[in-house]
Amino acid sequence: MTFGAGRIASVLAAAAVVLTFAPDEAWAKKKRKAEVPPPPVPQIVIPQRPYPPDFSPGALTMPAIRPDGLFESPNRNITPSQMLWNLRAAYNVAALNCPEPSRTEITTSYRAFLKAHSRTLAAANRQVDAEFRAKYGAGFVKPREQYMTFVYNGFAFPPTLPAFCNAALAFSRDAKAVKSANLRSYAATALPSIEIVFDDFRRRYVKYQTDLAAWDQQYLALYISRYGPPPGMTAQVAAITPPAVTVPASAPGGAAAPVPAPR
């Protein structure tokens, strides 16, 4: 089989094209492969560490939860006379500690309350004395004062004071229409309505503690590796949370002197 000169030239030209473009195509494929960007590095976002509600301390121990789902409190499981006397204590704290302008109204109502119900309140005070004497004997004064200190300080606990003052303002208005003969029954409903404020805080604080424990378990080591110990945690104890502060079940805050009644 013979080829003409033109045929031979065409075959040689085609071979040259193959030899010319085959290496270029392989290089292009290699270049395209090299230009593929690497997969992105996963970004780990550390959410904000949970913080206690209402600017409260970060290491409180909440009272125990009772079988009925409520928290232990000095305002529960008490006699009618003690309930009335504790309501008076709440009124007292509100008259002294609630901000203006609500304090003006509360203080005025509180003084009218003391005047209108002086005999009933005095009788309740004597009955409370008798109850503590029956329980503690001749030395009943000290445990009674300790108990009332917890009651006062529970009402005056700063993180819950705004909500407490709102509740106190409401019951100070309602109390104006209450007769002395109905004062004990009124206290039996008014005092639990105030206690709702503290139950709400305690539930939110327990949730904070739960959320904090979960955050520490998931993010604490990573956080420390990047930023160092969180605020309030020294390098020596970076693997644990600060020690808890035990608070008596009778008050969400520490003990202090009873709040005096306004004159």
Side-chain angles (χ1 to χ4, degrees):
M1 186 176 191
T2 59
F3 296 96
R7 179 64 174 168
I8 294 174
S10 298
V11 171
L12 292 175
V17 170
V18 172
L19 291 175
T20 301
F21 287 99
D24 290 345
E25 182 65 23
W27 176 83
K29 289 182 179 180
K30 184 176 181 181
K31 181 178 180 182
R32 286 196 299 271
K33 185 176 180 181
E35 289 177 349
V36 175
V41 178
Q43 297 295 316
I44 301 176
V45 178
I46 303 176
Q48 181 174 345
R49 195 170 189 244
Y51 52 89
D54 302 332
F55 304 99
S56 57
L60 295 177
T61 298
M62 292 294 99
I65 298 179
R66 303 167 2 141
D68 60 6
L70 301 175
F71 289 87
E72 292 290 354
S73 165
N75 297 308
R76 293 194 167 108
N77 289 343
I78 55 179
T79 66
S81 293
Q82 188 69 70
M83 190 169 287
L84 176 54
W85 199 248
N86 287 11
L87 181 66
R88 177 194 179 279
Y91 219 156
N92 185 351
V93 171
L96 290 170
N97 291 278
C98 292
E100 299 289 357
S102 63
R103 186 172 67 182
T104 300
E105 181 178 350
I106 293 173
T107 301
T108 301
S109 299
Y110 176 57
R111 288 176 174 148
F113 176 85
L114 294 180
K115 183 177 181 181
H117 306 296
S118 58
R119 292 184 178 179
T120 304
L121 292 171
N125 186 36
R126 290 192 298 270
Q127 180 62 33
V128 170
D129 270 348
E131 292 166 358
F132 270 85
R133 185 183 292 108
K135 185 174 182 179
Y136 296 101
F140 75 94
V141 173
K142 183 176 180 180
R144 180 183 176 178
E145 290 303 313
Q146 290 175 334
Y147 167 80
M148 290 308 301
T149 293
F150 291 137
V151 171
Y152 275 106
N153 287 335
F155 291 136
F157 187 48
T160 54
L161 199 57
F164 166 76
C165 288
N166 290 336
L169 181 61
F171 87 73
S172 71
R173 292 170 176 171
D174 293 340
K176 294 177 182 179
V178 178
K179 304 297 183 181
S180 290
N182 302 323
L183 199 57
R184 279 183 170 81
S185 60
Y186 171 72
T189 59
L191 192 61
S193 70
I194 296 172
E195 193 67 19
I196 290 173
V197 169
F198 304 102
D199 279 337
D200 173 69
F201 170 80
R202 292 162 187 151
R203 290 190 186 97
R204 288 185 289 118
Y205 200 94
V206 169
K207 183 179 184 304
Y208 149 72
Q209 292 174 318
T210 302
D211 293 345
L212 180 64
W215 189 97
D216 284 351
Q217 183 177 12
Q218 185 171 359
Y219 297 109
L220 182 59
L222 179 61
Y223 184 98
I224 292 173
S225 68
R226 290 188 179 184
Y227 309 112
M233 183 180 293
T234 64
Q236 289 76 17
V237 292
I240 60 173
T241 54
V245 177
T246 301
V247 179
S250 54
V259 181
R263 302 296 182 183

